[in-house]
Structures are given as structure tokens and as C-alpha cells.
């Protein structure tokens, strides 16, 4: 009842129609009204927005030139106000990657054949008290001292197995220097377990459902270890799936991906199918696009008609390639698949160039990561070089 309320707005520039996103705050007690003068991100012309609490409200992607309070300093200028505004509560671009421990395991011991994902989760859960204490110390240090930029907090933990190998699990989560941020087991994703040969596990004949589960887990892995992700498939779902069923597949996939680092290639009809399925839920893609609210991966999607390849690549200095016969759809029918590691240049030559794709430059990644691990002397936290630990 007494919480600050937030409204997300999209306002179009009155000169060129380019959408600008911002958040208006409403406090439980006194609220001011006022004006922002904004420089348009597209045409550069100034325009005005009227809103509550102009001093405190977050600016989003707006380049605010001046703020005015109606009581203390009302705006008296002549720039045109934005009149085409929309309030939205859409989560269409929200990333929510998950690692499903109940699904088909891809991290399986080569000696015993047993899946190690659930044992790894059990070890993380058991050690969470110590990990949380380490994080508390590290958080205080990072807030007090100037530390290198890092995007991820990584946890390395030993996984029990009856074999003679040492299996180390790598979990990660975004690094948030916020004392109030959630810090629970569910906030961590499993990126790797050492001593596993993914080629041996993934290459072969599997069900469609197995391969969809595997792709979900590889995307989680690539979000930490790789610079970009390529998704190339001509079809999402199949002709017997309803629009709502196809939309579920789209939403499952899009939530796993980082829009800034994803290159998605499919056929024009598949993109159209997504928009049609969205329309059936009452959301018009073209209207969303006019306010800049469409899914960013869909907005920049690449189209190609003459291909039937299904290939998914974690792109970096060393790339990981997952390919086969299955389209992006669940099901019990059997498909072939393969997994391989290749150099960046070889992937460009063998996969990117034949598809006539031009990869955009990958966004910069942080030069460091924060590592929590257990040593002979107990748990410790270190700042390690590189955006992620080395794969092993």
C-alpha cells in the first residue's frame, strides 16, 4: 500500500516518431509534476514530456537535457510535447534463462554414464551458507574499494562421483553490487562440469525433446563462456502445432537468449508465424514495433529462404557447434545431432559464410570475473582475469 509505484512509458518523438522509453515514479505521499526536455535519439530534435516527479524518475533511454518542476521552476519553453504515449507492462524482452535439472542431463560422467547435474546442484545447495558469507565479504570489499569491472560472480565446487576423476562444477550469476539483491540457489546457472566430453554425450540419435533440453543448457553455458550465440533454423515448431504452442516455443527460446549477443537466422515465413501467433494473444507486433517494444531479437532477425540447416553455435576464440536434423520443437521422434569444438576462423568458413551471414561486432565483455571456490584452507573469493574461467 505504501510502496513507490512505477509506470513504464513509451513516448514517440513528435518530429520523427522514434520511440523513447522511461519510467514514471509515483510516491505514496507527495508527488510533484513537471517536464523533461529531451533530445531525440533519432533525429536530434528537442521535445518535451510531462510526467510526475521529474527529478527522481528514471530516464530510461531518454537523453534528458533539462528537468523542470511545475511549482519551483515550471517549463515555459516552446518545444513541442510528445502526445503519442503508451503505458506498458510487457515483459516481452525480459531475459529469464533457466537450467532445468529435471530435464535430460548433458553433463554425464564418461566412466559411469550417470548425470552429474543434480549432484552438482545438491553440492551448491549444501554449501550455500558458506558461499553467502563469502559473497557478503566480497560485496563489502567491492563497495569500499575500486575493483576491476566484472559481469559475473562464479562459484566453483567439487561434484561427487564414484569414478576416479575430479569433476568441478561451474555455476554463475550476474554480478550485482546490491546488498538487497536476491542471493539464492535459484539465482545461479550451471555453465559447466569438468571431465565431460560433450561430443560423446550429444553426438548421436536423440529425441527432439532431448535436443531442445540440450540446446537450453548449451545457451546457458554460452552466455558465460562465449561472445555471441548463433541460432540458425528454418522452422520453429511444425505445421501441426497451434499458434499458441508455437508461441510457447518462441518464448522459451527468447527468454534464454541475450538479445545483444544473439544472431538469429530463420525463414521469412517463420518470422511471420511468430508475429501471427503474437497477434492471436492480442498483441500486434507492428504496434509494438512502433513504440519500440517488440522483441529485440525478432526485430533484428536475419531471413534466408534457401536453407534447411539447423546449427547452433557459441561463438568465441574457440567455438562450440551443435547441429543436426531437428527443428526447434519438442517431441518423441528421433533426430541426429553432433557437437564439435572449432576455431573462430573455421566456424566462419564452414558455417557463417555458406549461410551468407555477416556477424555484427560482439559487445565488449568485462576483463574479470569474481570467483568463489573452496581450497584446502577453506572457502575464498578472488578476482580472476578474463570474463569467465577457462573451460576444462
Amino acid at each position: 500500500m505504501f510502496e513507490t509505484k512505477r509506470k513504464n512509458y513509451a513516448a514517440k518523438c513528435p518530429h520523427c516518431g522514434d520511440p523513447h522509453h522511461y519510467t514514471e515514479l509515483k510516491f505514496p505521499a507527495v508527488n510533484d509534476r513537471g517536464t523533461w526536455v529531451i533530445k531525440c535519439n533519432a533525429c536530434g530534435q528537442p521535445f518535451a514530456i510531462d510526467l510526475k516527479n521529474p527529478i527522481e524518475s528514471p530516464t530510461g533511454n531518454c537523453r534528458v537535457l533539462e528537468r523542470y518542476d511545475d511549482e519551483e521552476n515550471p517549463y515555459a519553453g516552446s518545444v513541442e510535447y510528445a502526445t503519442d504515449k503508451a503505458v506498458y507492462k510487457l515483459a516481452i524482452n525480459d531475459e529469464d534463462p533457466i537450467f532445468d535439472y529435471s530435464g535430460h542431463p548433458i553433463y554425464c560422467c564418461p566412466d559411469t554414464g550417470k548425470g552429474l547435474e543434480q549432484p552438482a546442484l545438491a553440492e551448491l545447495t549444501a554449501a550455500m551458507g558458506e558461499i553467502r558469507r563469502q559473497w557478503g565479504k566480497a560485496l563489502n570489499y567491492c563497495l569500499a574499494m575500486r575493483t576491476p569491472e566484472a559481469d559475473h560472480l562464479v562459484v566453483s565446487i567439487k561434484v561427487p562421483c564414484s569414478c576416479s576423476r575430479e569433476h568441478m562444477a561451474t555455476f554463475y550469476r550476474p554480478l550485482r553490487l546490491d546488498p538487497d539483491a536476491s542471493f539464492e540457489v535459484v539465482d545461479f546457472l550451471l555453465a559447466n562440469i569438468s571431465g565431460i566430453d560433450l561430443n560423446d554425450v550429444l553426438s548421436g540419435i536423440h529425441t527432439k525433446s532431448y535436443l531442445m533440453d540440450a540446446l537450453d543448457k548449451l545457451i546457458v553455458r554460452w552466455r558465460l563462456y562465449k561472445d555471441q550465440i548463433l541460432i540458425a533454423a528454418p522452422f520453429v515448431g511444425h505445421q501441426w502445432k497451434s499458434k499458441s504452442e508455437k508461441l510457447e516455443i518462441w518464448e522459451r527460446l527468447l527468454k534464454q537468449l541475450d538479445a545483444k549477443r544473439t544472431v538469429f537466422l530463420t525463414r521469412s515465413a517463420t518470422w511471420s508465424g511468430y508475429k501471427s501467433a503474437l497477434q492471436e494473444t492480442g498483441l500486434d507486433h507492428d504496434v509494438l514495433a512502433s513504440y519500440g517494444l517488440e522483441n529485440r531479437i525478432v526485430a533484428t532477425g536475419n531471413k534466408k529462404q534457401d536453407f534447411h540447416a539447423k546449427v547452433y553455435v557459441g561463438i568465441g576464440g574457440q567455438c562450440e557447434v551443435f547441429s543436426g536434423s531437428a527443428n526447434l520443437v519438442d517431441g518423441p521422434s528421433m533426430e541426429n545431432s553432433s557437437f564439435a569444438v572449432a576455431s573462430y576462423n573455421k566456424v566462419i568458413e564452414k558455417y557463417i559464410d555458406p549461410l551468407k551471414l555477416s556477424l555484427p561486432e560482439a559487445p565488449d565483455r568485462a576483463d574479470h570475473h569474481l570467483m568463489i571456490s573452496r581450497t584446502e584452507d577453506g572457502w575464498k573469493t578472488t578476482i580472476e582475469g578474463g570474463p569467465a574461467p577457462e573451460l576444462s
Side-chain angles (χ1 to χ4, degrees), residues 269-330:
T270 304
W271 289 126
S272 298
Y274 167 78
K275 297 172 184 178
S276 177
L278 199 66
Q279 178 81 51
E280 198 169 80
T281 70
L283 296 174
D284 188 312
H285 180 271
D286 293 337
V287 173
L288 294 177
S290 74
Y291 286 99
L293 300 175
E294 77 279 29
N295 183 275
R296 291 187 293 272
I297 294 175
V298 175
T300 58
N302 296 274
K303 305 178 184 69
K304 184 174 176 61
Q305 291 302 108
D306 58 339
F307 87 106
H308 205 262
K310 297 92 176 177
V311 60
Y312 317 103
V313 187
I315 301 172
Q318 281 289 101
C319 303
E320 294 182 342
V321 182
F322 184 48
S323 60
S325 60
N327 287 307
L328 295 167
V329 63
D330 284 307

Side-chain angles (χ1 to χ4, degrees), residues 118-132 157 171 185:
Q118 290 192 12
L121 177 63
E123 290 298 302
L124 179 70
T125 303
M128 202 61 199
E130 290 291 343
I131 293 168
R132 192 176 284 111
I157 193 166
F171 292 90
V185 171

Side-chain angles (χ1 to χ4, degrees), residues 108-114 116 158-167 194-196:
C108 302
C109 175
D111 297 330
T112 68
K114 294 181 178 179
L116 297 177
K158 187 175 181 179
V159 184
C161 184
S162 60
C163 74
S164 59
R165 300 170 185 262
E166 181 177 84
H167 296 293
S194 65
I196 308 297

Side-chain angles (χ1 to χ4, degrees), residues 27-311:
F27 300 124
V30 178
N31 290 276
D32 302 319
R33 291 209 64 88
T35 298
W36 285 347
V37 175
I38 294 170
K39 183 178 181 180
C40 177
N41 294 324
C43 70
Q45 292 295 311
F47 67 96
I49 289 174
D50 62 323
L51 74 163
K52 292 185 179 75
N53 302 306
I55 306 303
E56 298 87 356
S57 290
T59 58
N61 73 338
C62 298
R63 292 187 287 176
V64 177
L65 302 176
E66 297 173 283
R67 302 169 190 251
Y68 296 88
D69 183 290
D70 284 353
E71 290 189 5
E72 298 181 1
N73 180 30
Y75 179 62
S78 59
V79 301
E80 190 173 350
Y81 275 79
T83 57
D84 194 348
K85 298 193 293 185
V87 181
Y88 66 92
K89 295 182 179 180
L90 294 173
I92 203 167
N93 278 297
D94 284 3
E95 296 173 30
D96 187 22
I98 62 169
F99 190 100
D100 184 3
Y101 295 92
S102 65
H104 303 91
I106 65 171
Y107 296 108
C108 302
C109 175
D111 297 330
T112 68
K114 294 181 178 179
L116 297 177
E117 296 168 3
Q118 290 192 12
L121 177 63
E123 290 298 302
L124 179 70
T125 303
M128 202 61 199
E130 290 291 343
I131 293 168
R132 192 176 284 111
R133 278 188 282 274
Q134 284 293 315
W135 167 240
K137 296 176 185 177
L139 176 61
N140 290 335
Y141 180 82
C142 290
L143 291 173
M145 305 293 290
R146 185 179 180 86
T147 57
E149 181 183 358
D151 290 332
H152 292 105
L153 170 65
V154 179
V155 172
S156 178
I157 193 166
K158 187 175 181 179
V159 184
C161 184
S162 60
C163 74
S164 59
R165 300 170 185 262
E166 181 177 84
H167 296 293
M168 299 298 297
T170 300
F171 292 90
Y172 74 98
R173 57 160 294 163
L175 181 63
R176 298 191 182 101
L177 300 181
D178 179 359
D180 298 323
S182 172
F183 197 90
E184 304 296 335
V185 171
V186 295
D187 299 319
F188 285 85
L189 297 169
L190 178 59
N192 185 45
I193 298 179
S194 65
I196 308 297
D197 183 354
L198 286 178
N199 172 45
D200 181 58
V201 176
L202 295 175
S203 297
I205 304 295
H206 302 285
T207 66
K208 285 183 171 70
S209 294
Y210 176 97
L211 297 177
M212 282 291 288
D213 285 351
L215 179 58
D216 282 345
K217 293 178 178 182
L218 288 173
I219 290 172
V220 166
R221 174 187 178 90
W222 294 339
R223 286 177 68 105
L224 176 67
Y225 285 111
K226 304 303 177 183
D227 300 328
Q228 290 173 299
I229 296 175
L230 168 66
I231 304 291
F235 307 109
V236 175
H238 53 60
Q239 58 184 330
W240 296 287
K241 291 281 188 184
S242 67
K243 288 182 179 180
S244 62
E245 289 173 325
K246 289 181 180 179
L247 189 59
E248 286 181 9
I249 298 172
W250 275 107
E251 290 178 341
R252 167 181 172 174
L253 184 61
L254 295 174
K255 284 181 179 295
Q256 290 289 98
L257 294 163
D258 179 348
K260 301 184 295 297
R261 300 182 181 277
T262 298
V263 179
F264 202 127
L265 176 69
T266 190
R267 295 186 177 184
S268 296
T270 304
W271 289 126
S272 298
Y274 167 78
K275 297 172 184 178
S276 177
L278 199 66
Q279 178 81 51
E280 198 169 80
T281 70
L283 296 174
D284 188 312
H285 180 271
D286 293 337
V287 173
L288 294 177
S290 74
Y291 286 99
L293 300 175
E294 77 279 29
N295 183 275
R296 291 187 293 272
I297 294 175
V298 175
T300 58
N302 296 274
K303 305 178 184 69
K304 184 174 176 61
Q305 291 302 108
D306 58 339
F307 87 106
H308 205 262
K310 297 92 176 177
V311 60

